[in-house]
C-alpha cells in the first residue's frame, strides 16, 4: 500500500512538473554542446524556433545551422566551456521558415558532459523597439541640425536686411535731393 501511494505521489508530481515544463512561457531546452542538436525542448522553444510541435523541433533544429552569425555560436560554446554557465547572451537565429528572431539565452553546462541546458526568451520586439528608438534619435539629431542651420540663416538674412535698409534709405534720400 505504501509503495502504491508513493508511486501515485511520484506520478502526480511528475505530471505537475511536466505540465509546468511544457506550458512555460519561455523556451526550455537541452542540447548537445558541440553542434547544438536539441535533445529536449518544450512547446515555447518549438514555437520560437518556428516548428509546429516539440517532436518536429527536436528532430530538425540544430543550432549550428540556424545561427545568423555562426561566430556568435562559437563565442557561446567557448564561454560555456570556459565558465560552465551562460547569462543573457543575445543573438539572432533563423527560424525554420527562414525568418529571423532575436533570442536571449541563459543556461548551464549539464552534469552529463557535452550537453547544455538552458532557457530562451524571444526578444525580437525589444530589439525592434531599440532599432526604432535609434532611428528616431538619428532623425531628431538631423532635425536639430536643420533647425540650427535655419536659425543661422535667419540671423544672417536679418543682418543682411539691416545693411540693405541703410543702402535703400540713403538711395531714397539721394533721389529726393536729386533734381533730375
Amino acid at each position: 500500500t505504501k509503495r502504491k501511494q508513493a508511486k501515485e505521489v511520484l506520478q502526480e508530481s511528475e505530471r505537475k512538473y511536466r505540465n509546468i515544463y511544457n506550458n512555460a512561457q519561455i523556451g526550455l531546452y537541452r542540447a548537445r554542446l558541440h553542434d547544438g542538436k536539441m535533445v529536449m525542448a518544450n512547446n515555447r522553444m518549438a514555437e520560437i524556433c518556428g516548428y509546429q510541435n516539440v517532436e518536429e523541433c527536436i528532430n530538425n533544429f540544430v543550432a549550428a545551422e540556424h545561427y545568423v552569425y555562426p561566430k556568435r555560436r562559437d563565442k557561446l560554446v567557448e564561454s560555456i566551456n570556459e565558465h560552465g554557465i551562460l547569462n543573457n547572451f543575445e543573438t539572432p537565429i533563423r527560424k525554420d521558415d527562414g525568418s529571423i528572431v532575436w533570442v536571449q539565452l541563459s543556461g548551464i553546462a549539464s552534469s552529463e558532459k557535452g550537453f547544455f541546458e538552458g532557457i530562451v526568451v524571444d526578444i525580437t520586439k525589444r530589439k525592434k523597439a531599440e532599432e526604432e528608438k535609434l532611428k528616431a534619435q538619428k532623425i531628431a539629431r538631423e532635425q536639430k541640425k536643420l533647425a540650427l542651420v535655419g536659425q543661422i540663416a535667419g540671423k544672417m538674412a536679418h543682418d543682411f536686411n539691416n545693411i540693405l535698409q541703410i543702402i535703400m534709405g540713403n538711395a531714397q534720400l539721394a533721389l529726393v535731393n536729386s533734381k533730375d
Side-chain angles (χ1 to χ4, degrees):
T1 309
K2 285 183 181 180
R3 189 179 297 170
K4 186 176 180 182
Q5 286 175 340
K7 185 178 178 182
E8 287 174 2
V9 169
L10 182 61
Q11 286 174 339
E12 178 64 19
S13 177
E14 184 179 339
R15 186 189 62 73
K16 284 179 186 176
Y17 287 107
R18 186 173 304 279
N19 193 33
I20 290 170
Y21 178 82
N22 286 329
N23 296 322
Q25 293 304 300
I26 57 173
L28 301 171
Y29 72 99
R30 184 167 201 243
R32 293 189 309 224
L33 192 55
H34 73 280
D35 65 356
K37 173 75 173 118
M38 236 176 264
V39 294
M40 193 172 165
N42 70 347
N43 294 327
R44 180 67 178 135
M45 185 67 197
E47 183 182 321
I48 290 170
C49 295
Y51 294 100
Q52 297 295 320
N53 56 54
V54 173
E55 292 77 25
E56 191 179 330
C57 182
I58 290 172
N59 291 333
N60 297 311
F61 189 86
V62 178
E65 299 168 3
H66 287 267
Y67 270 66
V68 173
Y69 307 113
K71 290 187 188 230
R72 297 275 299 152
R73 183 169 192 290
D74 296 342
K75 191 175 179 180
L76 172 144
V77 171
E78 181 182 310
S79 177
I80 294 168
N81 285 331
E82 188 175 321
H83 305 290
I85 194 165
L86 184 70
N87 285 315
N88 302 325
F89 185 83
E90 296 181 0
T91 190
I93 62 169
R94 215 170 253 105
K95 293 171 77 167
D96 185 47
D97 65 3
S99 63
I100 294 175
V101 61
W102 274 88
V103 294
Q104 184 179 55
L105 304 161
S106 294
I108 190 163
S110 176
S111 57
E112 187 179 339
K113 189 163 176 63
F115 287 91
F116 180 75
E117 297 162 348
I119 64 169
V120 175
V121 179
D122 183 347
I123 59 170
T124 305
K125 288 181 183 175
R126 188 188 87 201
K127 284 293 188 179
K128 285 183 180 177
E130 287 173 2
E131 284 179 25
E132 288 176 15
K133 180 181 176 184
L134 289 174
K135 285 178 186 175
Q137 288 174 338
K138 183 179 178 183
I139 290 169
R141 281 192 301 273
E142 292 296 321
Q143 296 278 335
K144 273 186 175 179
K145 286 179 190 176
L146 291 174
L148 185 59
V149 168
Q151 288 176 351
I152 291 171
K155 287 180 181 180
M156 288 176 63
H158 179 62
D159 290 344
F160 189 67
N161 280 339
N162 286 343
I163 293 169
L164 283 179
Q165 288 297 329
I166 293 169
I167 294 170
M168 288 173 55
N170 284 329
Q172 286 178 351
L173 285 175
L175 287 173
V176 169
N177 293 335
S178 172
K179 293 181 184 177
D180 294 334

